[in-house]
Amino acid sequence: MSEHLDRLQRALGYRFRDDSLLRRALTHRSAGPDNNERLEFLGDGLLNLVMGEAVFMRQPKSAEGDLSRLRVTLVREEALAVAARRIDLGEVMLLGSGELKSGGFRRDSILADGLEALIGAVYLDSGFAEARQLCLHLFAPELEHLPDPATLKDAKTRLQERLQAVSRPLPEYTVLSEDGPPHRRVFRVRCRLPDDGGESEGEGASRKIAEQQSAERMLQRLSTSGERHA
Amino acid sequence: MSEHLDRLQRALGYRFRDDSLLRRALTHRSAGPDNNERLEFLGDGLLNLVMGEAVFMRQPKSAEGDLSRLRVTLVREEALAVAARRIDLGEVMLLGSGELKSGGFRRDSILADGLEALIGAVYLDSGFAEARQLCLHLFAPELEHLPDPATLKDAKTRLQERLQAVSRPLPEYTVLSEDGPPHRRVFRVRCRLPDDGGESEGEGASRKIAEQQSAERMLQRLSTSGERHA
């Protein structure tokens, strides 16, 4: 085990003064009461701040909404799990026997929580500067290749901005139907462009999802027809 | 104006090296393009972290869920507006003429955003330690009187825990009806205790809200009947 912990700390670029903090950070709640849940709470706040600061600095012209969307791509569970796998975190997590058998060490949520807990543990072990450094180190590949914020906007926003850019009126969304039992509702929505009468439809488990799908399809139609007319 | 800024900085317990950061933090987006929106994004992350750390340290036995609920009470908009009013932030905010006329300097959202922007500005001006100190200073009264985390749980959770504590089975929630047009739905939900058949009802704009209301009423019934039987 100690060899594993050595390897992990080399991958982190950080050596713990207090080994008990490191062990707690690696202990999933299934493995006992002295687990990483509280450290995860602390690490979550740290990671959120440091990634927020990183996009703030790297995108000096971006508005708040773009910064928020960029940060979400960095701190969502799947992104954390990717970073956790880069340092082979699954191999050193301590899980209860049930989680072990069901392959919990491969699960995104357990890896993401463990990574946040490590960040929180470094903060308690050494303070903000070291925890910040660790966050930047863990997410260096993602920070080097930040996506274009414009691609992160939801479909309704992109459609609205695209129409406004050429002074066209805003699309109208109408619920066409709402079927199924209360716990498995299906909404169908129509997106209509009032000036040329173009229409698309979307469906989903909520009106919001259905609207987004109808907007996505309208964007595709506009792109296709744009190419044809170009 | 400069006298106002002096007074504000005394209230903050912080003096800016870079006055332009201070002025930007106080500039609402209605007053121009060089406004406080990006600083607010940064300050939001800082405040969230520092309040998270503060409840983490002050509640060494609290589980993650309790820490989260405590933090929410500290960083929600109304709480930020209260802290902003303590330092008379409304008097120094720069607003566009429309917002000025409609009394924007009294609005919770504008005050809360301004406060977060100030925290972000201090971070850029001096770093983490000073920004952290400012957060702790601004919310010292709230941090001294943290609520009991148990009182912050939602009604369904409290009902569940109360029943489990005396080994009673969990309540059952059933949607009784769902009426009204799609954009103004009304759900009616029944909460039923399977062992003694006790029932309560709730209603609201979503199933979740209706369930919480039914659970709240069931808690009231249990408290009343408990007193009668005591």
Side-chain angles (χ1 to χ4, degrees):
Chain A
M1 184 56 178
S2 165
E3 193 189 310
H4 277 114
L5 290 186
D6 257 15
R7 204 189 308 157
L8 175 69
Q9 291 180 93
R10 277 198 302 277
L12 295 176
Y14 180 82
R15 191 151 291 277
F16 276 82
R17 309 172 196 209
D18 179 354
D19 273 355
S20 70
L21 275 172
L22 170 58
R23 282 169 200 280
R24 190 179 303 142
L26 299 176
T27 305
H28 183 252
R29 66 169 173 275
S30 61
D34 189 12
N35 61 50
N36 66 8
E37 288 196 296
R38 281 170 49 91
L39 289 173
E40 179 219 328
F41 169 81
L42 201 55
D44 173 82
L46 279 156
L47 184 64
N48 211 48
L49 168 61
V50 175
M51 293 298 107
E53 184 206 8
V55 298
F56 179 96
M57 295 299 182
R58 280 164 177 74
Q59 305 276 330
K61 300 290 178 200
S62 289
E64 188 194 2
D66 282 345
L67 298 179
S68 290
R69 279 184 287 271
L70 280 171
R71 181 174 55 186
V72 165
T73 69
L74 292 164
V75 302
R76 67 177 172 222
E77 188 175 280
E78 310 91 85
L80 268 64
V82 167
R85 288 192 184 97
R86 275 201 294 261
I87 57 168
D88 292 324
L89 186 58
E91 291 184 18
V92 284
M93 290 292 297
L94 297 169
L95 305 180
S97 56
E99 286 290 359
L100 263 182
K101 275 183 207 152
S102 66
F105 49 87
R106 284 190 300 266
R107 265 227 304 286
D108 276 9
S109 61
I110 288 179
L111 292 172
D113 291 354
L115 194 75
E116 290 183 327
L118 275 175
I119 296 164
V122 168
Y123 181 73
L124 293 183
D125 201 48
S126 286
F128 179 70
E130 291 281 1
R132 178 174 175 277
Q133 206 44 54
L134 174 61
C135 293
L136 296 174
H137 171 66
L138 288 170
F139 290 88
E142 286 79 8
L143 287 170
E144 261 185 48
H145 303 283
L146 283 179
D148 178 352
T151 63
L152 303 174
K153 288 181 184 168
D154 67 80
K156 281 180 70 178
T157 306
R158 280 182 286 137
L159 177 58
Q160 177 179 329
E161 290 181 353
R162 178 159 179 170
L163 294 168
Q164 281 173 331
V166 291
S167 301
R168 292 184 62 176
L170 295 184
E172 297 161 354
Y173 297 91
T174 317
V175 176
L176 297 175
S177 66
E178 192 186 328
D179 295 307
H183 60 286
R184 231 172 50 200
R185 220 76 184 148
V186 176
F187 292 77
R188 270 183 51 239
V189 162
R190 184 181 59 213
C191 171
R192 186 174 175 279
L193 304 184
D195 54 351
D196 72 358
E199 290 184 2
S200 63
E201 287 186 17
E203 64 174 55
S206 72
R207 195 175 70 169
K208 207 170 156 184
I209 295 170
E211 285 181 354
Q212 292 294 348
Q213 192 182 84
S214 70
E216 189 63 68
R217 288 181 177 161
M218 183 59 80
L219 280 165
Q220 286 163 10
R221 292 192 45 193
L222 289 175
S223 295
T224 320
S225 67
E227 281 161 22
R228 266 206 311 270
H229 297 184
Chain B
M1 184 56 180
S2 167
E3 192 188 312
H4 277 114
L5 291 185
D6 256 15
R7 203 189 309 158
L8 175 70
Q9 291 181 91
R10 277 199 302 276
L12 295 176
Y14 180 81
R15 191 151 292 278
F16 276 83
R17 310 171 194 209
D18 179 354
D19 273 356
S20 70
L21 275 171
L22 171 58
R23 282 170 200 278
R24 188 179 305 142
L26 299 175
T27 305
H28 183 252
R29 65 169 174 274
S30 61
D34 189 12
N35 60 49
N36 66 9
E37 287 196 297
R38 281 171 48 91
L39 289 173
E40 179 219 329
F41 170 81
L42 202 54
D44 173 81
L46 279 156
L47 184 65
N48 210 46
L49 168 61
V50 176
M51 293 298 108
E53 184 206 8
V55 297
F56 180 96
M57 295 301 183
R58 281 165 176 73
Q59 304 275 331
K61 300 290 179 200
S62 289
E64 188 194 3
D66 282 345
L67 298 179
S68 291
R69 279 184 286 272
L70 280 172
R71 182 174 54 187
V72 165
T73 68
L74 292 164
V75 302
R76 65 176 174 223
E77 188 175 280
E78 309 93 85
L80 267 66
V82 167
R85 290 192 182 96
R86 274 200 295 260
I87 57 169
D88 293 323
L89 187 58
E91 290 184 19
V92 284
M93 290 292 298
L94 297 169
L95 305 181
S97 56
E99 285 290 357
L100 263 184
K101 274 184 209 151
S102 67
F105 48 87
R106 283 190 301 265
R107 264 229 303 287
D108 275 9
S109 61
I110 288 179
L111 292 172
D113 291 354
L115 194 74
E116 290 183 328
L118 275 175
I119 296 165
V122 168
Y123 181 73
L124 293 183
D125 201 49
S126 285
F128 179 71
E130 292 282 1
R132 178 173 174 277
Q133 206 45 54
L134 174 62
C135 292
L136 296 174
H137 171 66
L138 288 169
F139 290 88
E142 285 79 9
L143 287 171
E144 261 184 47
H145 302 284
L146 284 179
D148 177 352
T151 62
L152 303 174
K153 287 181 185 169
D154 67 79
K156 280 180 71 178
T157 305
R158 280 182 285 137
L159 177 59
Q160 178 178 330
E161 290 181 353
R162 178 160 178 169
L163 293 169
Q164 281 174 331
V166 290
S167 301
R168 291 183 63 175
L170 296 184
E172 296 161 355
Y173 298 92
T174 316
V175 176
L176 298 176
S177 65
E178 193 185 329
D179 295 308
H183 59 285
R184 230 173 49 201
R185 221 76 185 144
V186 176
F187 292 76
R188 270 183 53 239
V189 162
R190 183 181 61 211
C191 171
R192 185 175 176 279
L193 304 184
D195 54 351
D196 73 358
E199 289 185 4
S200 63
E201 288 186 17
E203 65 175 54
S206 72
R207 195 176 70 169
K208 208 170 155 183
I209 296 170
E211 285 181 354
Q212 291 294 347
Q213 192 183 83
S214 71
E216 191 62 70
R217 288 180 177 163
M218 182 58 80
L219 280 165
Q220 288 164 9
R221 292 192 45 194
L222 289 175
S223 295
T224 320
S225 68
E227 281 160 23
R228 266 207 311 271
H229 296 184

